[in-house]
Amino acid sequence: MPVPTVTAPSNRTPSSLCLHDSLCPSADSPDREAAAVVVAHPEQGWSLLCNAVVLFEDTGELLPDGRVIAPHRPVLVLV
């Protein structure tokens, strides 16, 4: 029995993650952290965003293609 294939637009994650009307930024866009939270696990320190990005509490990110974005929270400089 053939398995049906589903094709999603390249700028949007599968509809199983996007359950809202406005489009979320893609995982490749600079504002990817603005995507809606689909699953939140603050006790474990991470959230899954609608664009399939895993956002960690230290501001690090794991992108859907496996790339890692290092934490980028502001650094306090004492003078």
Side-chain angles (χ1 to χ4, degrees):
M1 179 172 199
V3 177
T5 58
V6 177
T7 356
S10 62
N11 64 347
R12 191 167 178 170
T13 56
S15 60
S16 62
L17 292 178
C18 281
L19 299 176
H20 47 276
D21 291 331
S22 60
L23 292 175
C24 283
S26 71
D28 292 330
S29 68
D31 60 343
R32 66 181 154 258
E33 294 175 14
V37 174
V38 177
V39 178
H41 285 282
E43 73 283 359
Q44 296 177 358
W46 63 273
S47 296
L48 174 64
L49 303 181
C50 189
N51 55 8
V53 170
V54 178
L55 179 63
F56 296 96
E57 69 180 9
D58 68 353
T59 69
E61 301 170 22
L62 179 60
L63 302 183
D65 62 4
R67 288 182 292 153
V68 174
I69 305 297
H72 48 277
R73 66 169 56 142
V75 177
L76 178 64
V77 178
L78 300 174
V79 274

